[in-house]
Amino acid sequence: MTGALVIGAGPAGLMAAQELALAGHAVTLAEAKPSVARKFLMAGKSGLNLTHDAPMDKVLAAFGAAAPALRPMLDAFGPDQIRHWAEDLGQPLFTGSTGRVFPVAMKASPLLRAWLSRLDGLGVRIVTRWRWQGWDAAGAVLFDTPDGRQSLSPQVTILACGGASWARLGSDGAWAGHVPAPLLAPFEPANMGLCVDWSAPMARHFGSPLKGIALHAGDRISRGEIVISATGLEGGGLYALSAALRAGAALTLDLAPDLSEEQLRQRLSRPRGKASLSNHLRKTLKLDPAKQALLMEFGRPLPADLAPRLKALPIRHSGPRPMDEAISTAGGIRFEALDAGLMLLSRPGTFAAGEMLDWEAPTGGYLLTGCLATGHWAGRAAAAWLRPPG
């Protein structure tokens, strides 16, 4: 009998395996892909934003409606603990001007190598190309493997199979077919781009960043950067509004968030002479070509008083990009289906962690923080559950 089984070798699963092994338990870590932590490595190609150096109230706010459920986990293994853990693995870190925390190496592979070496030293057994296929009638855990169907009867199991985006990296959401539907909130894209059917003149601006803007959706405001793409809009400033946009909130763009409407009017009222509107907007407001293009795309017919339109430009779109393109997903196992240790109430001895759970967070280090925190929590809770009575 396998002592402890962890299914899914992303950050949450690796962390859960670490905590079980540190508690002295024999651990098998099963991964469906040929190698571990593929999405983690992909995230590292853009710098590996490991966590965020922010007060706990800001960290919790990033997790929205799931914050009350996640609070004890973030208190136990939040940004401070994540920094100490990475440094203990020999990875020096730095904090950027926006509070985002990165390894000095600016990639994931050195951290992953050090982590896997630690797990190997703890005796964690990693098997790859093992795809979870649910449970049999006797409760054994079933896998399709290169050697055919395998079954394990662990004393404890932690599910860390990821969400339902980036299927090629392993997060395909197929595991949902093995969990009773009432326990699941439907998958939805999070940290997602929007589809926009651009007019032909916009093509010259594909790939252009939009900086120094504010995005509004419902009661949410984001000051992050976005990019005009051939298919629509992408970028961190947009990702922070995913939940509001999915709920149907209209998206508006403030092209000059540091100026009031009256200040805009005063600048626009300066003598224009023979200058074109484009040159006038550039000289008086420093409005770059990409911002001007958006104004023409969504703001026409232009009103005589441009100030309100510049402060709240309505963005017409046709909804989120496909879910598999999203950086992460909302939905998954509902917290009401779990106990305080993230154990399934309907299946004692089986825990869940990471993006399998019904939470979402914006980019900026919060996603990895949530995965590491829930993996740490589930691993410790599973280890405590295994502890002999008395």
Side-chain angles (χ1 to χ4, degrees), residues 38-327:
R38 290 188 165 201
K39 193 172 178 181
F40 181 70
L41 287 170
M42 178 63 75
K45 287 188 175 181
S46 60
L48 190 64
N49 185 187
L50 193 58
T51 189
H52 202 292
D53 183 15
M56 185 53 70
D57 59 346
K58 182 178 178 181
V59 173
L60 289 169
F63 291 91
L70 292 173
R71 170 135 207 178
M73 303 164 210
L74 293 166
D75 282 339
F77 200 76
D80 288 343
Q81 292 83 0
I82 289 170
R83 285 197 299 269
H84 295 323
W85 162 78
E87 289 168 346
D88 190 51
L89 285 172
Q91 303 304 305
L93 308 174
F94 73 94
T95 302
S97 59
T98 61
R100 299 183 182 204
V101 178
F102 300 87
V104 170
M106 287 298 287
K107 53 186 177 179
S109 50
L111 174 60
L112 180 61
R113 283 195 298 269
W115 198 2
L116 291 175
S117 177
R118 172 175 290 180
L119 293 176
D120 183 63
L122 290 169
V124 174
R125 170 182 174 240
I126 298 177
V127 292
T128 56
R129 295 186 174 91
W130 279 47
R131 178 169 285 276
W132 179 46
Q133 297 296 334
W135 297 272
D136 68 14
V141 187
L142 302 176
F143 292 93
D144 282 341
T145 80
D147 298 316
R149 180 60 61 97
Q150 301 285 330
S151 66
L152 298 178
S153 297
Q155 295 172 288
V156 68
T157 300
I158 296 179
L159 305 174
C161 301
S165 66
W166 292 59
R168 65 188 178 86
L169 299 179
S171 296
D172 57 14
W175 59 265
H178 310 311
V179 177
L183 307 187
L184 300 174
F187 290 124
E188 296 182 287
N191 291 298
M192 62 198 190
L194 292 178
C195 298
V196 179
D197 185 15
W198 299 113
S199 65
M202 287 298 298
R204 73 188 67 149
H205 300 287
F206 293 166
S208 296
L210 294 162
K211 303 180 180 182
I213 58 172
L215 300 96
H216 297 249
D219 62 354
R220 300 298 302 274
I221 301 173
S222 171
R223 287 292 300 263
E225 180 179 322
I226 61 174
V227 175
I228 300 170
S229 74
T231 57
L233 294 169
E234 296 280 352
L238 188 62
Y239 301 158
L241 304 177
S242 293
L245 292 169
R246 288 198 314 267
L251 176 64
T252 61
L253 194 61
D254 185 344
L255 295 175
D258 298 321
L259 297 173
S260 67
E261 278 192 21
E262 187 53 38
Q263 288 173 317
L264 287 173
R265 288 191 187 97
Q266 290 174 2
R267 293 192 181 198
L268 289 168
S269 67
R270 294 172 185 170
R272 177 172 160 184
K274 294 182 179 180
S276 65
L277 175 60
S278 176
N279 280 333
H280 190 59
L281 291 171
R282 178 179 57 82
K283 290 178 180 179
T284 59
L285 302 181
K286 294 183 171 60
L287 220 59
D288 63 38
K291 290 181 182 179
Q292 291 194 37
L294 280 188
L295 178 63
M296 297 303 168
E297 184 78 0
F298 298 119
R300 292 187 294 182
L302 296 179
D305 182 6
L306 266 183
R309 190 66 51 87
L310 291 166
K311 294 296 291 180
L313 181 67
I315 305 299
R316 297 184 300 274
H317 62 87
S318 51
R321 296 292 303 157
M323 185 157 59
D324 194 50
E325 294 180 14
I327 290 176

